[in-house]
Amino acid sequence: MDAHKEHIKLMHKYLDGDLTKEEELVLSKHLEECEACQKHFHELNRTIALIQSTEQIAAPLHFTENVMKSLPKEKKRMKVIRLFKGHPFLVAAAVFFVFMFGGMFSFWNQSNELVVSKTDNLIIQGDTVIVPEGVTIEDDLLIKNGNLVVKGKIDGNVTIFNGKLIEEEPSQDQEGLMASVGEVNGELKTVDRIFEWIWYHINEIIQKVFAM
Amino acid sequence: MEHIVKERIKQVKKGDQSAYREIVELYQNKIYQHCYRMLGNVHEAEDIAQEAFIRAYVNIDSFDERRKFSSWLYRIATNLSIDRIRKRKPDYFLDAEVKGTDGLDMYSQMAASDRTPAEELESNELQRYIHKEISELPPKYRSIIVLRYLEEFSLQEISEILDIPIGTVKTRIHRGREALRKRLRHV
């Protein structure tokens, strides 16, 4: 056996794919001459073939389930992050709407107090804002939760939320005929329903976005 | 496939547990089979294969992403299997003959309806014999023979999986082959 030791080593080198050309020649030449080594070599190859003939087996059913169940609990935070990653658009849209409508409704319901963008030269009676005769408002005017009576003149735009423009009865006063009908030289907008209010907001946002 | 695995591992490292499911699904058969070949019975194989996946998950931070995940997983499974073999008490061997019976082992004592596909396979006498011979090899030879000839890893990969020098792998595979040759030559 000892005499074949070197050759057996070569066989293993062959099986590992490490044999050089010269060694291969030495081995094949020896195998032709030596029956014992031939047998040994054959047995080795057959052993490998036998091992490899065993069939494949699959993991038991629910293996993955069982592993997943046995894992330590993950942090709660991850679940939220996964929701974001799984449906980024949906979540972004939901967040957007919540903030937008939330903001608007709270604005709408904020109070029924009268809000006027500027009070200089204006007379306020209860929930009515009066632009007195002979007064000219040069800026834009914004009124929330109030009505507007224009006796004077407004050069800017007028926006009224939750209120309306009250047309004064034309005065019979002759010389006041012209002046008694208030003048709004800018655009007049009256908003008094929630959808219009939303629409107004969206317009504002869009305008702001494009103005940037 | 490697790419998907890398992605999933990154997610798992960030703490996303559900990303691990795909990894388990991908490797479950291979790892279970490996454990079965190392341990020689389905119950321990399931136990150890599960343990291997759990260990990998818990220690995922220590996994170096430049290396192959499958190698790492095989290493965990191999080490756990060898540990189990060492701790095993002889009376737990299902192959052991039951006292007072003639050639009946624990397998024959189990209810027939309890048989899993793996056990059905074992009813094939030759395969059963080969499996038995493999599982009687010393663990350090067994792991290499199984990795090389049943799971078809290269010697280089085996060296990485077991974290031993390639020269050692070669020595062990030579000895393992010789040992099996002696056991199987009469088949």
Side-chain angles (χ1 to χ4, degrees):
Chain A
M1 199 68 186
D2 247 21
H4 306 295
K5 220 177 172 182
E6 279 308 306
H7 292 109
I8 290 170
K9 231 181 201 168
L10 289 182
M11 289 176 206
H12 285 287
K13 274 183 101 173
Y14 167 81
L15 292 172
D16 292 341
D18 288 342
L19 216 55
T20 64
K21 272 266 180 278
E22 295 81 52
E23 288 171 326
E24 206 179 320
L25 277 174
V26 172
L27 180 63
S28 61
K29 206 173 165 215
H30 179 77
L31 283 177
E32 276 171 33
E33 294 161 357
C34 175
E35 214 170 299
C37 279
Q38 224 177 74
K39 189 164 172 274
H40 194 109
F41 190 59
H42 173 74
E43 279 172 4
L44 277 176
N45 280 314
R46 192 159 167 274
T47 300
I48 291 164
L50 278 176
I51 308 170
Q52 286 179 326
S53 74
T54 56
E55 272 175 73
Q56 304 275 316
I57 52 167
L61 280 173
H62 310 303
F63 183 88
T64 305
E65 278 320 305
N66 291 339
V67 170
M68 294 309 287
K69 263 186 249 158
S70 316
L71 296 181
K73 290 269 171 292
E74 70 175 336
K75 293 161 200 144
K76 270 249 167 67
R77 190 176 59 90
M78 239 0 260
K79 286 185 184 157
V80 180
I81 291 171
R82 190 160 56 242
L83 183 75
F84 269 87
K85 280 186 180 160
H87 316 276
F89 183 74
L90 219 68
V91 173
V95 169
F96 174 75
F97 276 103
V98 165
F99 277 111
M100 198 178 84
F101 285 108
M104 274 182 210
F105 281 115
S106 66
F107 234 151
W108 184 255
N109 294 323
Q110 214 169 29
S111 66
N112 290 319
E113 266 173 56
L114 177 70
V115 179
V116 184
S117 63
K118 56 177 279 173
T119 48
D120 299 352
N121 304 324
L122 295 173
I123 299 167
I124 295 170
Q125 287 177 347
D127 62 352
T128 308
V129 180
I130 301 165
V131 181
E133 273 176 62
V135 171
T136 305
I137 309 281
E138 279 165 11
D139 298 328
D140 293 351
L141 188 65
L142 175 89
I143 296 165
K144 284 184 198 166
N145 305 316
N147 301 324
L148 177 67
V149 176
V150 185
K151 288 180 178 166
K153 218 172 135 188
I154 300 172
D155 281 343
N157 298 330
V158 176
T159 308
I160 305 168
F161 294 120
N162 211 10
K164 58 179 188 263
L165 182 72
I166 297 173
E167 306 268 350
E168 284 276 293
E169 285 289 311
S171 168
Q172 295 306 310
D173 192 313
Q174 282 193 342
E175 48 173 13
L177 197 65
M178 286 293 285
S180 66
V181 181
E183 239 186 296
V184 177
N185 290 334
E187 222 178 293
L188 175 73
K189 262 194 275 181
T190 316
V191 182
D192 65 1
R193 267 175 307 182
I194 191 119
F195 286 112
E196 289 181 45
W197 164 253
I198 291 165
W199 182 238
Y200 170 80
H201 253 282
I202 292 171
N203 272 343
E204 286 280 284
I205 289 166
I206 291 167
Q207 268 167 26
K208 268 180 201 160
V209 167
F210 283 105
M212 284 193 326
Chain B
M1 192 177 94
E2 271 300 305
H3 177 73
I4 299 169
V5 172
K6 278 207 167 109
E7 273 308 300
R8 294 291 168 272
I9 287 165
K10 269 185 197 146
Q11 288 172 296
V12 175
K13 278 192 173 180
K14 281 179 195 153
D16 185 355
Q17 194 171 80
S18 69
Y20 196 59
R21 176 183 296 273
E22 258 180 83
I23 295 178
V24 179
E25 277 167 1
L26 201 57
Y27 290 112
Q28 59 173 354
N29 288 339
K30 287 180 178 174
I31 293 298
Y32 172 76
Q33 192 156 257
H34 180 70
C35 292
Y36 175 67
R37 284 158 177 168
M38 286 298 292
L39 294 159
N41 80 71
V42 288
H43 306 283
E44 279 184 310
E46 185 173 354
D47 212 27
I48 294 297
Q50 248 189 56
E51 179 69 21
F53 279 110
I54 295 165
R55 288 274 178 106
Y57 176 80
V58 173
N59 297 307
I60 196 80
D61 284 323
S62 68
F63 168 66
D64 181 353
E65 277 167 63
R66 286 164 299 180
R67 305 186 66 175
K68 261 181 103 175
F69 180 75
S70 58
S71 304
W72 191 65
L73 197 56
Y74 268 107
R75 185 195 305 186
I76 295 172
T78 309
N79 290 342
L80 285 172
S81 299
I82 292 175
D83 268 5
R84 172 59 68 95
I85 294 164
R86 285 191 188 133
K87 280 180 199 156
R88 196 143 65 174
K89 287 175 187 153
D91 35 332
Y92 289 160
F93 273 119
L94 288 168
D95 284 332
E97 247 179 58
V98 180
K99 266 183 194 165
T101 61
D102 192 20
L104 286 179
D105 57 25
M106 287 293 277
Y107 282 115
S108 61
Q109 299 298 100
M110 293 194 298
S113 59
D114 230 25
R115 294 190 129 198
T116 63
E119 282 166 313
E120 290 289 359
L121 264 181
E122 275 193 333
S123 61
N124 179 326
E125 277 304 311
L126 177 62
Q127 294 222 340
R128 186 170 171 171
Y129 183 73
I130 296 167
H131 259 300
K132 185 168 163 284
E133 293 304 325
I134 295 174
S135 66
E136 278 173 11
L137 281 179
K140 63 178 180 178
Y141 299 154
R142 195 190 314 172
S143 54
I144 291 176
I145 291 287
V146 166
L147 287 168
R148 180 72 190 94
Y149 290 112
L150 293 168
E151 278 128 33
E152 295 178 344
F153 283 102
S154 70
L155 295 179
Q156 183 58 46
E157 284 171 317
I158 295 172
S159 147
E160 276 165 31
I161 289 170
L162 300 175
D163 202 19
I164 51 179
I166 191 147
T168 312
V169 175
K170 283 179 184 170
T171 315
R172 287 186 187 173
I173 202 166
H174 294 184
R175 291 188 186 151
R177 272 195 297 245
E178 283 300 329
L180 274 178
R181 181 188 69 85
K182 280 173 197 151
R183 287 159 182 270
L184 296 175
R185 72 206 286 189
H186 305 299
V187 174

